[in-house]
Amino acid sequence: MSRTVSDSDPRRALATLAAARGDSLAALSAMLGRNPAYLQQYVQRGSPRLLGERDRRLLSDYLGVSEIVLGAPPARAAGFRVPKLDVAASAGPGALVDGEIALGTDTLDPGLARRLGLKDGQAAIIRVRGSSMEPGLFDGDHIVVDTANRTPRAKGCVFVIRIDDAVMVKRVASVDGALVATSDNPDAAAVAEGAIVVIGRVVWQMREPR
């Protein structure tokens, strides 16, 4: 999810990350709205001694690393905690559930959580079951669901939904004021008929490379 850097010195880490991307420190300073010498002075002279919280957050998001790499105190760089629910979002006929039982929590990089627009108490991790959303989602994938985003657009995006008592993950679009759910796998069975209740939009998938 985020890149890792072995250098424990945030100034050297910043210089290494910038060089790896082909970005000059002057260009990154301009991105922060600072004078061109701002980050050069920070890296070479240690002035300022620490990056400000705003600057560190913007650089963390841009470079794809945890803020702790750029000098954030460990308490401030703690991961974004997301509950894991005992619910299988079926990519097949639908998983019947009586309730949502928390299995514990998992941790997302706080920079990633901000990029995804996630807020505390408005996200969950659930497991995908079935093959109807392949090749995007496979059986056993764990997905991050933004439960604050429940409004499908005309273009259609992937959502976790409920039809009657069945929870499933489907591509959902708003067509002439009505919600239409479809599978990505052309060989999948037709989606069951019934009123669609949107649980949240799928914004991230957590999977080992295949």
Side-chain angles (χ1 to χ4, degrees):
M1 297 176 185
S2 63
R3 300 170 62 186
T4 58
V5 177
S6 59
D7 199 328
S8 60
D9 184 323
R11 290 181 293 167
R12 287 198 301 263
L14 175 59
T16 299
L17 289 163
R21 291 183 60 100
D23 293 326
S24 69
L25 293 176
L28 292 180
S29 297
M31 182 189 75
L32 299 176
R34 301 281 191 170
N35 71 71
Y38 172 66
L39 290 179
Q40 190 78 23
Q41 292 175 344
Y42 166 70
V43 168
Q44 295 186 351
R45 302 180 184 178
S47 177
R49 188 174 63 85
L50 296 173
L51 291 173
E53 183 176 344
R54 170 189 169 275
D55 294 340
R56 189 175 60 234
R57 183 178 70 249
L58 291 174
L59 288 168
S60 167
D61 288 350
Y62 177 74
L63 296 170
V65 296
S66 169
E67 288 186 43
I68 200 168
V69 173
L70 301 178
R76 297 299 301 273
F80 183 88
R81 306 294 292 179
V82 182
K84 297 177 69 174
L85 301 181
D86 186 18
V87 174
S90 178
L96 299 177
V97 295
D98 295 323
E100 297 175 351
I101 303 171
L103 296 176
T105 59
D106 209 334
T107 302
L108 297 183
D109 182 88
L112 173 63
R114 283 195 300 272
R115 289 197 295 275
L116 297 177
L118 299 176
K119 295 180 173 58
D120 286 334
Q122 297 181 339
I125 295 172
I126 61 179
R127 181 174 58 84
V128 174
R129 187 181 72 183
S131 61
S132 74
M133 292 302 288
E134 292 181 3
L137 297 174
F138 287 85
D139 182 62
D141 282 353
H142 283 79
I143 52 178
V144 179
V145 181
D146 181 357
T147 57
N149 187 337
R150 302 183 180 185
T151 308
R153 308 288 184 178
K155 183 179 179 181
C157 291
V158 179
F159 286 84
V160 174
I161 61 174
R162 189 190 302 270
I163 298 179
D164 294 328
D165 289 328
V167 174
M168 59 193 76
V169 55
K170 298 295 175 188
R171 189 167 300 278
V172 184
S174 178
V175 180
D176 296 328
L179 296 182
V180 177
T182 58
S183 300
D184 283 357
N185 187 341
D187 296 326
V191 179
E193 295 184 359
I196 296 173
V197 177
V198 178
I199 295 174
R201 181 177 174 181
V202 177
V203 294
W204 195 253
Q205 63 188 87
M206 308 167 70
R207 170 204 301 171
E208 294 182 359
R210 290 179 178 269

